[in-house]
Amino acid sequence: MTFEELKPKIIDITSNNSFTRDERLLKVCELLEENIEYYTWVGFYFANHENRTLHLGPYVGAPTDHTVIPFGKGICGQVALSDKNFVVPDVAAQDNYIACSFTVKSEIVVPLFVNGENIGQIDIDSNVLDPFTEEDERFLEFVNQEVAKLY
C-alpha cells in the first residue's frame, strides 16, 4: 500500500472516538508495520520534560528494554533535543545508537509536535539497510500531524 493510500486510513484511526488514545496509537503502529514492508518496529515515545526522559508508548514489533531513554541518548534522545527528523541509513555507522536488536539495520525518528512543543516522536526500525526516503519523512510528518490532534 502506498503512503497516499495509507493517509485516509490514518485519519480514520485517529478520528475514531470509540477507541482510547493509546488504542488509536497502537492501531496506527499496526497499520504502518503491516503495510510498509521495511517497517519492522513502529512505536511512539513521549517526553517527560521535567525528567528529560522519553517513555515508550504503544508500539508493535519485538519487545524492547528501552522503555525510558534520557534526552540526548540514542537516536530518539537526540531528536528530543534537536526537534528535527533523524534518518539513520546504517545504524552500525552511528556512534550514539542504542541497539534494540541485532537485526535492526536502519532507523527513522520524526518528532511529534503539539502547539509547537516536541511532546514525543514516532520511531521506526528496519531490518533493511537504507530504506528510508524523503517520502517516508513527509508521510511520517503527516502521521504525527494527525496524532497531534489527539492531544
Side-chain angles (χ1 to χ4, degrees):
M1 198 171 295
T2 68
F3 293 140
E4 288 306 310
E5 292 169 324
L6 288 170
K7 284 181 177 182
K9 295 179 183 306
I10 295 292
I11 293 168
D12 288 346
I13 291 169
T14 56
S15 61
N16 186 338
N17 293 325
S18 61
F19 296 106
T20 67
R21 180 170 52 200
D22 277 0
E23 288 170 334
R24 288 185 261 181
L25 292 174
L26 181 60
K27 288 180 179 301
V28 167
C29 293
E30 290 169 343
L31 179 73
L32 299 183
E33 191 272 337
E34 290 167 6
N35 288 284
I36 303 172
E37 66 181 272
Y38 52 93
Y39 286 18
T40 51
W41 191 98
V42 179
F44 289 93
Y45 280 92
F46 292 95
N48 178 324
H49 289 283
E50 268 184 42
N51 296 337
R52 298 182 52 80
T53 52
L54 293 166
H55 297 264
L56 183 61
Y59 74 95
V60 294
T64 179
D65 293 335
H66 304 111
T67 58
V68 179
I69 299 173
F71 283 15
K73 187 164 169 61
I75 307 309
C76 291
Q78 290 176 72
V79 169
L81 294 176
S82 73
D83 295 338
K84 293 182 174 24
N85 299 350
F86 198 152
V87 178
V88 181
D90 180 359
V91 296
Q94 198 53 237
D95 288 341
N96 189 5
Y97 172 72
I98 304 171
C100 292
S101 165
F102 69 92
T103 61
V104 174
K105 304 285 188 243
S106 56
E107 183 174 13
I108 184 171
V109 179
V110 175
L112 171 60
F113 295 98
V114 174
N115 299 321
E117 180 183 20
N118 182 350
I119 68 153
Q121 53 206 225
I122 190 166
D123 177 21
I124 298 174
D125 292 342
S126 179
N127 294 344
V128 177
L129 275 173
D130 198 15
F132 303 115
T133 66
E134 191 172 315
E135 284 183 5
D136 290 274
E137 288 188 73
R138 298 299 83 80
F139 173 67
L140 294 172
E141 288 167 355
F142 166 83
V143 169
N144 279 355
Q145 287 169 356
E146 294 305 310
V147 166
K149 295 174 183 175
L150 302 175
Y151 292 86

